[in-house]
Amino acid sequence: MSKIHVMSENLANKIAAGEVIERIASVVKELVENSIDASSKVISVDLVDCGLKSITVTDDGVGMDSEDALLSFQRHATSKIKKEDDLFFIQTLGFRGEALASIASVSKVDLKTSQGGVGTHIVIEGGKLITNEEADAKKGTRISVNDLFFNTPARLKYLKSNTTELANVTSFIERLSLSHPEISFTLTNNEKRIVFTSGSNDLLKTIHELFGYTVSSNMIEVNASSDDYDIRGYICKPTVLKSNRNYMLTFVNDRMVKNIDINASINDGYRDFKPDIKYPVVVLKIDTDPTLVDVNIHPSKADIKISKMEELKFMIESMINKSLRKTLLINDMKVNTNVSAPSIIESEKNTTSDEDTLVKSEEQMTFDYTKMTIEEESAHGFSEVQTKVAEQSEDKQINEDIKRLELHPVGIIMQTFIVAENEEGLYLIDQHAAHERINYEKVQKQMKNAQNYKMKMLVPLTLEFSTSDYLKVQEHIDTLESIGITIENFGVNTIIVKEHPTWLREGMESILIKQIFDMLIEDSVKFDKMKFLKRVAQTTACKMSIRAHEVITLDQAKELLKQLFMCDNPYNCAHGRPTIIHYSEYELDRMFRRIMN
Ligand code: ZN
Ligand code: ZN
C-alpha cells in the first residue's frame, strides 16, 4: 500500500506557510528528516561547494515504491498527517507535504529509491518530470538537489556566504545527531568530512564525537522524573564553560527546542557554580505527554509552549544544582596532549580575556579601599574568623551532598596560593577566592536574619542624592530594611543611615554602604531583589576577604581550608571563579615524563 497520503486542501491550508525554502540548511533539513522518517540507521549528507552546487542525502531507510516516489513531489503529499486531529498531536519533527515539491521547482532533483526490490529513478528539473524509470536495487533512498535556485536568480542572491550556509548546515546536523544518537550521521563538503557520529545510541559518545574530549570528559550524567516529565542527559562541569549559549541544547520529545524559560532554568541550576557571563554545555532530553506541548506556535520556529512549565523549570534547576553539588568540581590540570576539539568550538579564544577582566575588576575593587598595613589586617581578619568556627560548626547543618576533600597544606607561594596535598596529588588554592567563598556564605546566612545582625551606626551617615536617585532609593526602603540598613529621610533629597548590618567589614562601613546605594540605584531600572542581594553579598564578601599578596601563616591557611570545606560550595568564589585547582600524581608524572602515554 502507498505510504504517502495526499492531504485534503483544507488541511493543507491550516498549516502555516513554513515550507518556504530559504537556506541550504532548510533543504538539508527536509531531506534528512525524510530519511529519519524512513527509519534509516545511516544517513550521509554530501555537499559540493557548501551545497550551492549540490546537496546529496543518502540513507539506508525503507525506501519508496514507484508510486510513492512520484507522489512525494506533489503538493500536499505527506506520510505524517492523515486527518485534522493529528495536527494537535504532532510528535514528529515537523510537518511537510509541500517541501519536496517546492525544492524540485527551484532545482534539479535526482532521486533513486528502492524498498529492496526493483528501484525507481526520477529526475525533475524546475518542477518538470524529465526521467521516471526503473533503477538498480539497493534498499534506501539517495536524493540529490543540484543547482538550487538555478531558475530563480533573485533567490540565489539571497543566500548568505558559503561559510554561513555551511555553518548552519553543520549546526543542524550536530543537533540532529544529539537528538538521534542511534543514527549514524556523516556530513561532508567537497569530500572533506565535517561531522561524523557512529550511531552508537550512546549520548555521551555522540557528545564526544561532536565536541571532543575536553568537553565529553567533563560531562556529568543527569536525570529526573515526575508524573509529567522524564528528563535525562548530560551537563558540563563548570571547568569547560563557553562564552555563548550555543551549547545549551534541549530536546522535547526528540524535537530540538529553543526556549527562554528552559534556558533560564538551566542557568539558574548553575547559579553559584559559574560567572554570569559564562554558559554551560548541556544536552537535555525531555520526554512528556504530547498533549502538554504546543509545537505549533510557528512551524519554522524552534520554540514551543509547555503547559506545566513551572514544574519543568523547577525540575531542571534542582536536578542540575543537586548534580553539581554531588560532583567534585575541581579544575583538573591536564598535560596538553593537543586533542583538538572539532567543529563549532571557536569562541574559546575569547574566554581568557573575559576571565581576566573579571579577575581584574574584582581585585581592583579590593585594592582601592584598603590602606591598613598587611599584617594588622590579616591578623584581624583571621582571629575573627577563628572564633566563629566553633559556633559555626554547631549551628551549621553541613550539606552532606557536597563532596569534601581532606587537604594538607604544605606552604604558601607568591603570598597568594596555598599549596596542599593528599593521596590524589597536588592542589593549589587561591587564598582570596577561598576566603571570599567562606565570607559569601556567611553574609548570605546573616542577611536572611537581618534582625540579629544589625547595629547602630557610631556616626550616622548622611547621604545626599539627585532627585531621581532619591526617588529610586525611596522605592526600595523595604529591601534595605530587610538586610539591616535602616534609613531616615532628612530634608531635601537627603537620608540618614541609622543602622547597618554587622557583616560589613569594620572600618569600611561607610564605603560599603555607599556602594550598596550605588548598586541599588544602578539596578533599579529592572530591579530584581534576588540579584541585588546576591551582588551585595558578593561585594561585601570580596571586601572582607584576605587579598592576593597578603601574608598569612600556615596555621591560618589550615584554618582557611577547614572552613572552606564546610561551605555549601567550596569550589567557586562568590563570582564563580575556581577556588582550587588540582594536579593528579599521574599528570605530574606525565609532565616529568616519568611515564609516557
Ligand atoms: Zn573577590
Ligand atoms: Zn570572587
Side-chain angles (χ1 to χ4, degrees), residues 358-359 361-363 365-366 432-433 435-437 538-539 541-547 573-575 577:
L358 188 71
V359 175
S361 62
E362 207 183 286
E363 304 280 309
M365 292 192 302
T366 325
H432 170 72
H435 198 200
E436 184 183 273
R437 163 52 58 175
Q538 283 171 335
T539 307
C542 187
K543 295 283 179 343
M544 288 161 84
S545 304
I546 46 166
R547 288 167 293 135
C573 86
H575 305 85
R577 283 200 295 125

Side-chain angles (χ1 to χ4, degrees), residues 57-120:
V57 173
T58 313
D59 70 45
D60 64 344
V62 293
M64 290 179 275
D65 60 28
S66 58
E67 188 191 346
D68 272 354
L70 256 190
L71 214 47
S72 70
F73 290 101
Q74 288 178 21
R75 300 224 158 250
H76 312 316
T78 175
S79 58
K80 307 214 147 359
I81 309 163
K82 288 174 210 157
K83 53 184 196 300
E84 256 172 75
D85 280 355
D86 289 351
L87 268 182
F88 299 100
F89 295 95
I90 287 172
Q91 255 189 301
T92 45
L93 295 155
F95 38 91
R96 303 172 291 280
E98 303 201 347
L100 219 44
S102 307
I103 294 170
S105 67
V106 292
S107 67
K108 301 170 184 170
V109 174
D110 188 303
L111 172 82
K112 266 188 187 175
T113 184
S114 161
Q115 295 181 311
V118 178
T120 308

Side-chain angles (χ1 to χ4, degrees), residues 201-205 207 215-224 231-237 270 281-284 319-327:
N201 201 18
D202 178 338
L203 185 56
L204 187 59
K205 191 170 178 197
I207 291 171
V215 169
S216 66
S217 62
N218 281 293
M219 298 301 275
I220 308 165
E221 190 171 7
V222 290
N223 56 66
I231 310 174
R232 68 206 159 77
Y234 289 88
I235 65 171
C236 75
K237 293 182 190 171
Y270 274 87
V281 183
V282 170
V283 180
L284 288 186
M319 174 188 79
I320 290 178
N321 207 261
K322 263 189 212 145
S323 307
L324 289 171
R325 285 183 187 290
K326 278 186 194 156
T327 312

